[in-house]
Amino acid sequence: MSEPPKILALLHEHRVIDPPEEFQRNAIADSEDIYEEAEADLEGFWASQAERLHWSQRWTRVLEWNPPWVKWFIGGRLNVSVNCLDRHLDSIPDRVAYYWEGEPGDERRITYRELHDEVCRFANALRRIGVRRGDRVAIYMGMIPELPIAMLACARIGALHSVVFGGFAAEALKDRINDASAEVLITADGGWRRGDIVPLKQSADEALEGSPTIRHAVVVRRTGQDVSMQSGRDLWYHELIEGEDTECPAEDMDSEDPLYVLYTSGTTGKPKGILHTTGGYLTGVSTTHRLIFDIHPETDVFWCAADIGWVTGHSYIVYGPLANGTTSIMYEGAPNFPDKDRLWAIVEKYGVTILYTAPTAIRAFMKWGERYPKAHDMSSLRLLGSVGEPINPEAWMWYWTHIGGERCPIVDTWWQTETGMILITPLPGITRLKPGSATRPFPGIQADVLDESGNPVPPGAGGYLVLRRPWPAQFRTIYGAPERYVEQYFSRFGPEIYLTGDGVKRDDDGDFWLLGRIDDVMNVSGHRLSTYEIESALVDHTAVAESAVVSRPDPATGEAIVAFVTLKADVEGDEALIGELREHVAKMIGKIARPHGIILTEDLPKTRSGKIMRRLLRDVARGQALGDVSTLANAEIVKEISTMASEMAEEE
Ligand code: WT7
């Protein structure tokens, strides 16, 4: 059972910013009517958006809603890679799809024609090594052009891709490969990060020791160091595509055929494979991309500075922008390499017009100082976006002033891996902006704020953010676990109401202010991490008996991870061991999951049924007054832990 959402005090933020007049004049969405149209005829609204795509066969029905199961564009047929590539070949073959920049400074400029040809060659090669419609292909690489190429090649032949973020460690990769029973892994020798090589193939080799379903690993040469290639299993990408044709017949997919799986952390249990399908997903991401980022594809240079390993990159680096014939930037490396102005140098060099990034990045830019953006001409920018966590008003104002030159609207976009597309957001030519608020639901989206009993809460109060009716890009299930889909998202308030897991407050104007997750999932630097995975990694260490992971607010990363750990009886805990445990988590999950603080304790507070009371630990970690401890089986331990936690806080 979820706990009540944290009802935070009202943010005292009253600034409002109207859309700049010039922006308004040229905006694609330029009138409130769009909200009314979608409200009056939801299916008609989405059908007219779907008509912008190429369908080999038109749908017979727009929406089928058997709560909690949903289908969009029933009977329709299309191929996503055809819509992202072939469809543009007559009109804009020479338009740049990606300006790619490697971290060391190398560049590639890939037109729609070139991207099409490369995708076809790789799709043919994948077919040749036996990849068929419906098969699962894992992709584990850095931000290089072969990443979207691999995704589109899978889409072309009807295989599902499962992209695993290149910053994850071998163990996390292995779990994800095994959950989806992937047959092929596409990876690279390495990737560049802050001047160092991330040894991707080496991690992949470790993962593959425990991944029996993988038949082949395809390896892109990027960093060029020696890697071991297992004969028969491992294939070089450049050898594999040699001689392949630049045409490749695309599979004719049903609108409801799966497009991809993307793993995201859950509150309990192992990572969830979020399953997205074809027609509704592409309609949803292309529509939101076009209207929210006000895409004028002839002139815009769009930069979503996320990693394709997260859903943001899937929807707004790959599928949305390509479906809209957009020119995008793709950058391989770190924002502070070789110096802290790398992003601004790229904005200047390519004349970026739209930049979409995360609050955690914006806070880092703030910390580094305004002299870095000031050193560059950023007058090409006309629109800014934010995603991943609530953006605090100071960071919003800094972004507005120092990056946007007080002329670029900021779209604070709320959504999730599960929603596939942005759902709560300003439309930049229409919406009055409030720093810190994601403002209002996208046309056709019905968001609400409910209390514990499922009643809408009055303005100003906090509650559960829910969605009351379907949208086309929503996930269809959890891969291999439909019962978890029902249980986790559609049971709290019944099968018709989607539970987002976020807390939210609505103000007197009806604008939404997100308050963060209400469950045990943490949001660190804009990435959702599960307490469960980190606890499992800790317990994996030979010294550890049990652990509970919580978070506390952190000015730099949003939330910081605090782990409570009980050691095995014969183990002596010291600073060296704490360091070792932190590294162990980094090795098993990735550096981002490394606990900020570890508190060694004799025991953990538990209910009588043996459930760890994370809520109490969270209060301890945050130095808050403790609530009711009467249900505890071992109340005395809480006092002990509190003392240790406050000692740790003082040391910091
Ligand atoms: C969670 C989803 C959507 C892509 C990135 C993360 C938080 C996301 C916002 C925002 C406040 C936000 C929510 C959400 N979140 N965008 N604009 N304002 N919170 O995808 O890993 O699935 O995480 O990120 O808590 O539930 P994700």
Side-chain angles (χ1 to χ4, degrees):
M1 186 60 123
S2 315
E3 308 162 15
K6 308 184 284 272
I7 315 284
L8 301 187
L10 265 168
L11 261 172
H12 294 294
E13 179 53 57
H14 299 298
R15 283 172 285 209
V16 293
I17 292 173
D18 284 313
E21 222 170 88
E22 202 199 312
F23 194 100
Q24 221 169 336
R25 223 173 315 141
N26 299 313
I28 296 177
D30 60 355
S31 124
E32 286 285 330
D33 296 351
I34 189 170
Y35 291 96
E36 280 143 38
E37 282 163 26
E39 214 42 58
D41 179 10
L42 181 75
E43 295 189 17
F45 172 76
W46 283 115
S48 72
Q49 300 300 329
E51 275 159 12
R52 300 179 54 253
L53 300 174
H54 172 79
W55 299 75
S56 62
Q57 190 176 305
R58 200 187 154 87
W59 57 89
T60 52
R61 250 176 325 141
V62 173
L63 173 62
E64 188 185 292
W65 176 221
N66 291 317
W69 306 103
V70 67
K71 290 181 179 172
W72 282 87
F73 306 112
I74 294 96
R77 302 188 78 79
L78 75 166
N79 181 286
V80 165
S81 99
V82 167
N83 271 282
C84 290
L85 303 168
D86 309 47
R87 192 161 58 103
H88 304 313
L89 292 187
D90 285 338
S91 49
I92 51 161
D94 300 323
R95 181 177 296 163
V96 173
Y98 293 114
Y99 286 113
W100 175 81
E101 182 151 315
E103 194 188 74
D106 45 342
E107 304 166 9
R108 279 166 75 181
R109 169 185 181 284
I110 304 169
T111 64
Y112 273 89
R113 157 63 66 193
E114 290 163 346
L115 189 60
H116 166 272
D117 291 359
E118 197 69 14
V119 166
C120 285
R121 294 172 77 194
F122 191 42
N124 284 324
L126 288 176
R127 271 202 183 123
R128 188 159 51 78
I129 61 171
V131 180
R132 298 281 170 263
R133 193 179 174 123
D135 290 351
R136 276 83 50 221
V137 173
I139 303 178
Y140 177 65
M141 57 170 101
M143 286 284 286
I144 55 176
E146 286 77 7
L147 173 49
I149 288 167
M151 294 162 76
L152 291 159
C154 289
R156 194 160 193 95
I157 63 176
L160 287 71
H161 57 70
S162 164
V163 179
V164 180
F165 173 54
F168 276 130
E171 189 75 15
L173 173 61
K174 186 195 75 182
D175 289 346
R176 286 158 178 76
I177 290 174
N178 291 342
D179 187 78
S181 311
E183 295 184 26
V184 168
L185 169 68
I186 304 167
T187 185
D189 50 357
W192 289 110
R193 190 74 191 175
R194 227 157 269 144
D196 290 329
I197 289 176
V198 181
L200 292 168
K201 177 62 164 67
Q202 199 182 308
S203 300
D205 285 338
E206 253 178 74
L208 293 191
E209 278 171 34
S211 307
T213 54
I214 294 287
R215 293 185 289 108
H216 287 296
V218 179
V219 186
V220 176
R221 186 175 274 157
R222 166 61 186 142
T223 41
Q225 82 280 17
D226 277 342
V227 292
S228 78
M229 294 290 280
Q230 185 178 310
S231 130
R233 186 193 71 185
D234 298 351
L235 307 162
W236 283 108
Y237 174 91
H238 59 271
E239 290 174 7
L240 194 66
I241 62 168
E242 214 177 275
E244 287 296 350
D245 204 286
T246 55
E247 295 295 334
C248 170
E251 290 284 331
D252 191 33
M253 306 302 285
D254 187 273
S255 177
E256 280 298 320
D257 275 334
L259 176 64
Y260 69 77
V261 185
L262 180 61
Y263 284 85
T264 185
S265 300
T267 32
T268 54
K270 48 189 183 140
K272 299 179 280 194
I274 300 301
L275 184 91
H276 282 290
T277 57
T278 301
Y281 177 77
L282 198 62
T283 301
V285 299
S286 61
T287 302
T288 48
H289 177 251
R290 177 167 175 268
L291 297 177
I292 296 164
F293 296 109
D294 188 46
I295 298 295
H296 292 74
E298 310 77 27
T299 47
D300 275 320
V301 178
F302 177 75
W303 188 8
C304 167
D307 192 289
I308 292 177
W310 311 108
V311 74
T312 309
H314 282 59
S315 296
Y316 299 109
I317 300 177
V318 183
Y319 294 117
L322 294 176
N324 289 329
T326 312
T327 296
S328 286
I329 302 285
M330 201 179 150
Y331 169 56
E332 178 185 34
N336 54 352
F337 189 89
D339 205 351
K340 299 186 182 74
D341 66 341
R342 185 64 184 269
L343 263 45
W344 320 127
I346 293 175
V347 167
E348 179 172 12
K349 177 172 169 187
Y350 297 98
V352 172
T353 59
I354 304 161
L355 177 69
Y356 188 32
T357 186
T360 185
I362 297 165
R363 287 192 296 265
F365 305 145
M366 277 174 80
K367 203 169 93 193
W368 297 338
E370 57 198 70
R371 72 171 196 276
Y372 293 101
K374 266 218 175 81
H376 295 275
D377 177 4
M378 306 218 291
S379 57
S380 56
L381 286 172
R382 64 180 195 90
L383 176 62
L384 301 173
S386 171
V387 63
E389 54 186 316
I391 175 167
N392 39 307
E394 300 89 71
W396 198 105
M397 289 309 297
W398 191 91
Y399 198 28
W400 161 261
T401 307
H402 298 291
I403 306 302
E406 300 185 349
R407 74 181 175 272
C408 308
I410 297 174
V411 286
D412 174 4
T413 63
W414 178 91
W415 58 299
Q416 308 175 301
T417 307
E418 293 88 341
T419 71
M421 67 188 227
I422 297 166
L423 294 187
I424 301 180
T425 178
L427 287 178
I430 303 175
T431 313
R432 204 173 60 161
L433 304 173
K434 297 177 183 170
S437 168
T439 70
R440 62 207 283 200
F442 188 79
I445 303 303
Q446 212 177 73
D448 206 348
V449 191
L450 304 184
D451 67 14
E452 281 291 297
S453 340
N455 302 312
V457 304
Y464 293 84
L465 175 63
V466 299
L467 300 159
R468 287 186 173 279
R469 69 180 176 214
W471 62 98
Q474 78 190 74
F475 72 135
R476 299 299 193 260
T477 190
I478 296 175
Y479 189 81
E483 69 295 337
R484 272 180 95 193
Y485 167 87
V486 179
E487 209 264 324
Q488 293 195 3
Y489 300 101
F490 291 99
S491 63
R492 182 74 178 75
F493 299 115
E496 296 189 12
I497 296 182
Y498 171 80
L499 181 70
T500 66
D502 279 5
V504 72
K505 176 194 82 195
R506 204 166 18 188
D507 68 17
D508 293 331
D509 302 326
D511 284 323
F512 288 74
W513 299 75
L514 277 302
L515 305 174
R517 308 289 302 169
I518 49 177
D519 54 26
D520 284 331
V521 175
M522 298 171 293
N523 193 326
V524 180
S525 299
H527 300 138
R528 194 151 47 134
L529 297 173
S530 130
T531 54
Y532 168 83
E533 278 191 301
I534 300 170
E535 289 165 4
S536 304
L538 285 164
V539 173
D540 179 81
H541 191 282
T542 49
V544 175
E546 193 173 37
S547 87
V549 167
V550 299
S551 71
R552 60 176 161 74
D554 181 277
T557 55
E559 289 182 69
I561 301 167
V562 180
F564 295 86
V565 170
T566 55
L567 298 176
K568 288 185 180 156
D570 52 345
V571 181
E572 269 298 309
D574 55 15
E575 281 304 312
L577 178 65
I578 287 178
E580 208 181 292
L581 293 178
R582 295 180 70 232
E583 288 321 306
H584 191 71
V585 173
K587 190 172 151 274
M588 287 199 64
I589 302 177
K591 283 194 183 126
I592 192 164
R594 188 162 49 192
H596 189 85
I598 291 184
I599 298 173
L600 300 178
T601 159
E602 294 285 320
D603 200 350
L604 294 167
K606 289 182 193 156
T607 62
R608 277 160 227 275
S609 64
K611 240 171 103 2
I612 296 171
M613 297 277 281
R614 281 193 194 74
R615 174 174 56 81
L616 267 175
L617 292 172
R618 201 152 47 214
D619 291 349
V620 169
R622 292 169 187 217
Q624 284 161 357
L626 298 179
D628 183 16
V629 297
S630 60
T631 55
L632 285 183
N634 48 352
E636 63 296 339
I637 193 65
V638 175
K639 230 184 122 201
E640 250 178 76
I641 293 175
S642 308
T643 313
M644 285 189 284
S646 50
E647 277 167 15
M648 188 179 84
E650 272 163 31
E651 274 167 34
E652 275 182 18

Short mmCIF file of all heavy atoms in Angstrom, two decimals, residues 264 310-312 386-391 412-418 424 438 500-502 514 516-517 523 526-528, ligand 1:
data_model
loop_
_atom_site.label_atom_id
_atom_site.label_comp_id
_atom_site.label_asym_id
_atom_site.label_seq_id
_atom_site.Cartn_x
_atom_site.Cartn_y
_atom_site.Cartn_z
N THR A 264 12.72 0.32 -16.61
CA THR A 264 12.74 1.41 -15.66
C THR A 264 12.58 0.80 -14.28
O THR A 264 12.11 -0.32 -14.15
CB THR A 264 11.63 2.44 -15.96
OG1 THR A 264 11.76 3.54 -15.05
CG2 THR A 264 10.25 1.86 -15.81
N TRP A 310 17.63 6.67 -22.03
CA TRP A 310 16.41 6.96 -21.26
C TRP A 310 15.28 7.24 -22.24
O TRP A 310 15.52 7.53 -23.41
CB TRP A 310 16.62 8.18 -20.36
CG TRP A 310 17.86 8.12 -19.54
CD1 TRP A 310 18.99 8.87 -19.71
CD2 TRP A 310 18.14 7.27 -18.41
NE1 TRP A 310 19.93 8.54 -18.77
CE2 TRP A 310 19.44 7.55 -17.96
CE3 TRP A 310 17.39 6.28 -17.75
CZ2 TRP A 310 20.02 6.90 -16.87
CZ3 TRP A 310 17.97 5.64 -16.66
CH2 TRP A 310 19.27 5.95 -16.24
N VAL A 311 14.06 7.26 -21.74
CA VAL A 311 12.91 7.43 -22.65
C VAL A 311 12.95 8.79 -23.35
O VAL A 311 12.49 8.94 -24.48
CB VAL A 311 11.57 7.21 -21.92
CG1 VAL A 311 11.24 8.38 -21.01
CG2 VAL A 311 10.46 6.92 -22.90
N THR A 312 13.50 9.78 -22.67
CA THR A 312 13.58 11.11 -23.28
C THR A 312 14.28 11.04 -24.64
O THR A 312 13.85 11.66 -25.61
CB THR A 312 14.35 12.08 -22.35
OG1 THR A 312 13.78 11.99 -21.05
CG2 THR A 312 14.28 13.50 -22.85
N SER A 386 12.69 21.67 -20.24
CA SER A 386 13.21 21.02 -19.04
C SER A 386 12.42 19.74 -18.79
O SER A 386 11.21 19.70 -19.01
CB SER A 386 13.05 21.98 -17.85
OG SER A 386 13.35 21.33 -16.63
N VAL A 387 13.10 18.71 -18.31
CA VAL A 387 12.43 17.43 -18.03
C VAL A 387 13.22 16.61 -17.03
O VAL A 387 14.44 16.73 -16.95
CB VAL A 387 12.27 16.58 -19.31
CG1 VAL A 387 13.61 16.20 -19.92
CG2 VAL A 387 11.44 15.31 -19.04
N GLY A 388 12.53 15.77 -16.28
CA GLY A 388 13.20 14.78 -15.45
C GLY A 388 12.85 14.89 -13.98
O GLY A 388 12.80 13.89 -13.28
N GLU A 389 12.63 16.09 -13.51
CA GLU A 389 12.27 16.30 -12.12
C GLU A 389 11.73 17.73 -12.02
O GLU A 389 11.86 18.50 -12.97
CB GLU A 389 13.48 16.10 -11.21
CG GLU A 389 14.65 16.96 -11.63
CD GLU A 389 15.92 16.69 -10.85
OE1 GLU A 389 15.82 16.54 -9.63
OE2 GLU A 389 16.99 16.66 -11.46
N PRO A 390 11.15 18.06 -10.89
CA PRO A 390 10.66 19.43 -10.76
C PRO A 390 11.84 20.41 -10.90
O PRO A 390 12.92 20.15 -10.38
CB PRO A 390 10.09 19.48 -9.35
CG PRO A 390 9.83 18.05 -8.98
CD PRO A 390 10.86 17.25 -9.69
N ILE A 391 11.62 21.48 -11.61
CA ILE A 391 12.68 22.49 -11.73
C ILE A 391 12.38 23.59 -10.71
O ILE A 391 11.30 24.18 -10.72
CB ILE A 391 12.82 23.03 -13.18
CG1 ILE A 391 13.85 24.16 -13.24
CG2 ILE A 391 11.50 23.46 -13.78
CD1 ILE A 391 14.28 24.52 -14.67
N ASP A 412 8.45 23.42 -19.31
CA ASP A 412 8.74 22.45 -18.26
C ASP A 412 7.79 21.28 -18.51
O ASP A 412 6.59 21.39 -18.30
CB ASP A 412 8.50 23.09 -16.89
CG ASP A 412 8.63 22.11 -15.73
OD1 ASP A 412 8.97 20.92 -15.96
OD2 ASP A 412 8.38 22.53 -14.58
N THR A 413 8.35 20.16 -18.99
CA THR A 413 7.53 19.07 -19.50
C THR A 413 7.50 17.90 -18.53
O THR A 413 8.52 17.31 -18.23
CB THR A 413 8.08 18.57 -20.84
OG1 THR A 413 9.41 18.05 -20.63
CG2 THR A 413 8.15 19.70 -21.86
N TRP A 414 6.32 17.55 -18.05
CA TRP A 414 6.19 16.38 -17.15
C TRP A 414 5.74 15.16 -17.94
O TRP A 414 4.77 15.23 -18.70
CB TRP A 414 5.16 16.65 -16.05
CG TRP A 414 5.00 15.44 -15.17
CD1 TRP A 414 5.70 15.15 -14.04
CD2 TRP A 414 4.14 14.31 -15.41
NE1 TRP A 414 5.33 13.91 -13.56
CE2 TRP A 414 4.38 13.38 -14.37
CE3 TRP A 414 3.21 13.99 -16.40
CZ2 TRP A 414 3.71 12.15 -14.28
CZ3 TRP A 414 2.54 12.77 -16.33
CH2 TRP A 414 2.78 11.86 -15.26
N TRP A 415 6.44 14.07 -17.74
CA TRP A 415 6.02 12.77 -18.29
C TRP A 415 6.86 11.68 -17.68
O TRP A 415 7.62 11.93 -16.75
CB TRP A 415 6.08 12.77 -19.81
CG TRP A 415 7.42 13.08 -20.46
CD1 TRP A 415 8.13 14.23 -20.34
CD2 TRP A 415 8.17 12.23 -21.32
NE1 TRP A 415 9.28 14.14 -21.08
CE2 TRP A 415 9.34 12.93 -21.70
CE3 TRP A 415 7.97 10.95 -21.84
CZ2 TRP A 415 10.30 12.39 -22.55
CZ3 TRP A 415 8.91 10.42 -22.70
CH2 TRP A 415 10.06 11.13 -23.04
N GLN A 416 6.68 10.44 -18.15
CA GLN A 416 7.36 9.28 -17.58
C GLN A 416 7.71 8.27 -18.68
O GLN A 416 7.13 8.33 -19.77
CB GLN A 416 6.43 8.54 -16.60
CG GLN A 416 5.79 9.40 -15.55
CD GLN A 416 4.80 8.62 -14.70
OE1 GLN A 416 3.83 8.06 -15.20
NE2 GLN A 416 5.05 8.58 -13.40
N THR A 417 8.59 7.33 -18.34
CA THR A 417 8.87 6.24 -19.27
C THR A 417 7.55 5.58 -19.72
O THR A 417 7.36 5.27 -20.89
CB THR A 417 9.76 5.18 -18.58
OG1 THR A 417 10.92 5.85 -18.06
CG2 THR A 417 10.20 4.11 -19.56
N GLU A 418 6.65 5.42 -18.76
CA GLU A 418 5.38 4.75 -19.04
C GLU A 418 4.49 5.56 -19.96
O GLU A 418 3.72 5.00 -20.75
CB GLU A 418 4.62 4.49 -17.73
CG GLU A 418 5.26 3.49 -16.79
CD GLU A 418 6.28 4.13 -15.84
OE1 GLU A 418 6.77 5.25 -16.13
OE2 GLU A 418 6.59 3.51 -14.81
N ILE A 424 2.11 16.84 -19.35
CA ILE A 424 1.79 18.12 -18.71
C ILE A 424 2.88 19.11 -19.11
O ILE A 424 4.06 18.86 -18.89
CB ILE A 424 1.70 17.99 -17.18
CG1 ILE A 424 0.63 16.95 -16.81
CG2 ILE A 424 1.38 19.34 -16.54
CD1 ILE A 424 0.46 16.73 -15.32
N ALA A 438 4.82 22.98 -14.22
CA ALA A 438 4.72 22.38 -15.56
C ALA A 438 3.42 22.84 -16.24
O ALA A 438 3.11 22.39 -17.34
CB ALA A 438 4.78 20.86 -15.48
N THR A 500 0.10 7.73 -11.42
CA THR A 500 1.44 8.09 -11.89
C THR A 500 2.51 7.81 -10.85
O THR A 500 3.67 7.66 -11.20
CB THR A 500 1.53 9.59 -12.23
OG1 THR A 500 1.37 10.33 -11.01
CG2 THR A 500 0.47 10.01 -13.23
N GLY A 501 2.12 7.80 -9.57
CA GLY A 501 3.12 7.65 -8.51
C GLY A 501 3.73 8.97 -8.08
O GLY A 501 4.56 9.00 -7.19
N ASP A 502 3.34 10.06 -8.70
CA ASP A 502 3.87 11.38 -8.33
C ASP A 502 2.87 12.12 -7.45
O ASP A 502 1.67 11.97 -7.60
CB ASP A 502 4.12 12.23 -9.57
CG ASP A 502 5.44 11.89 -10.24
OD1 ASP A 502 6.10 10.94 -9.80
OD2 ASP A 502 5.80 12.59 -11.21
N LEU A 514 4.49 19.89 -9.64
CA LEU A 514 4.88 18.53 -9.28
C LEU A 514 5.68 18.52 -7.98
O LEU A 514 6.52 19.39 -7.76
CB LEU A 514 5.72 17.91 -10.40
CG LEU A 514 4.98 17.28 -11.59
CD1 LEU A 514 4.04 16.18 -11.09
CD2 LEU A 514 4.23 18.27 -12.42
N GLY A 516 7.27 15.51 -6.76
CA GLY A 516 8.19 14.37 -6.68
C GLY A 516 7.44 13.06 -6.47
O GLY A 516 6.22 13.04 -6.33
N ARG A 517 8.19 11.98 -6.40
CA ARG A 517 7.61 10.64 -6.25
C ARG A 517 7.00 10.46 -4.87
O ARG A 517 7.56 10.93 -3.88
CB ARG A 517 8.68 9.56 -6.45
CG ARG A 517 9.47 9.70 -7.71
CD ARG A 517 8.69 9.37 -8.93
NE ARG A 517 8.17 8.01 -8.89
CZ ARG A 517 7.26 7.56 -9.77
NH1 ARG A 517 6.79 8.36 -10.71
NH2 ARG A 517 6.83 6.33 -9.70
N ASN A 523 14.72 9.84 -7.26
CA ASN A 523 15.06 10.55 -8.48
C ASN A 523 16.41 11.25 -8.25
O ASN A 523 16.49 12.27 -7.60
CB ASN A 523 13.95 11.56 -8.78
CG ASN A 523 14.07 12.11 -10.18
OD1 ASN A 523 15.16 12.28 -10.71
ND2 ASN A 523 12.94 12.40 -10.80
N GLY A 526 17.80 13.47 -11.99
CA GLY A 526 16.83 13.32 -13.06
C GLY A 526 16.63 11.89 -13.52
O GLY A 526 15.90 11.62 -14.46
N HIS A 527 17.27 10.94 -12.85
CA HIS A 527 17.10 9.54 -13.22
C HIS A 527 16.41 8.80 -12.08
O HIS A 527 16.76 8.96 -10.93
CB HIS A 527 18.44 8.88 -13.52
CG HIS A 527 19.16 9.55 -14.64
ND1 HIS A 527 20.49 9.80 -14.62
CD2 HIS A 527 18.70 10.04 -15.80
CE1 HIS A 527 20.84 10.41 -15.74
NE2 HIS A 527 19.75 10.56 -16.47
N ARG A 528 15.47 7.97 -12.46
CA ARG A 528 14.70 7.27 -11.46
C ARG A 528 15.44 6.00 -11.07
O ARG A 528 15.77 5.19 -11.91
CB ARG A 528 13.33 6.96 -12.03
CG ARG A 528 12.36 6.54 -11.01
CD ARG A 528 10.95 6.90 -11.40
NE ARG A 528 10.61 6.56 -12.75
CZ ARG A 528 9.47 5.95 -13.07
NH1 ARG A 528 8.64 5.57 -12.14
NH2 ARG A 528 9.17 5.73 -14.32
C1 WT7 B 1 9.49 10.70 -13.27
C2 WT7 B 1 9.57 9.85 -14.51
C3 WT7 B 1 10.19 11.65 -18.63
C4 WT7 B 1 11.57 11.43 -18.95
C5 WT7 B 1 12.56 11.53 -17.86
C6 WT7 B 1 12.33 10.69 -16.64
C7 WT7 B 1 9.77 12.95 -12.74
C8 WT7 B 1 9.77 13.98 -15.04
C9 WT7 B 1 9.21 16.04 -14.60
C10 WT7 B 1 8.86 17.42 -14.56
C11 WT7 B 1 8.55 17.18 -12.24
C12 WT7 B 1 9.21 15.30 -13.40
C13 WT7 B 1 8.45 12.46 -12.18
C14 WT7 B 1 8.12 11.29 -13.07
N1 WT7 B 1 9.58 14.03 -13.71
N2 WT7 B 1 9.56 15.19 -15.59
N3 WT7 B 1 8.84 18.19 -15.64
N4 WT7 B 1 8.53 17.94 -13.34
N5 WT7 B 1 8.88 15.87 -12.23
O1 WT7 B 1 11.57 9.52 -16.92
O2 WT7 B 1 12.68 7.88 -15.40
O3 WT7 B 1 10.32 7.50 -16.20
O4 WT7 B 1 10.85 9.28 -14.53
O5 WT7 B 1 10.36 11.81 -13.38
O6 WT7 B 1 8.64 12.04 -10.86
O7 WT7 B 1 7.24 10.36 -12.50
P1 WT7 B 1 11.36 8.46 -15.78
#
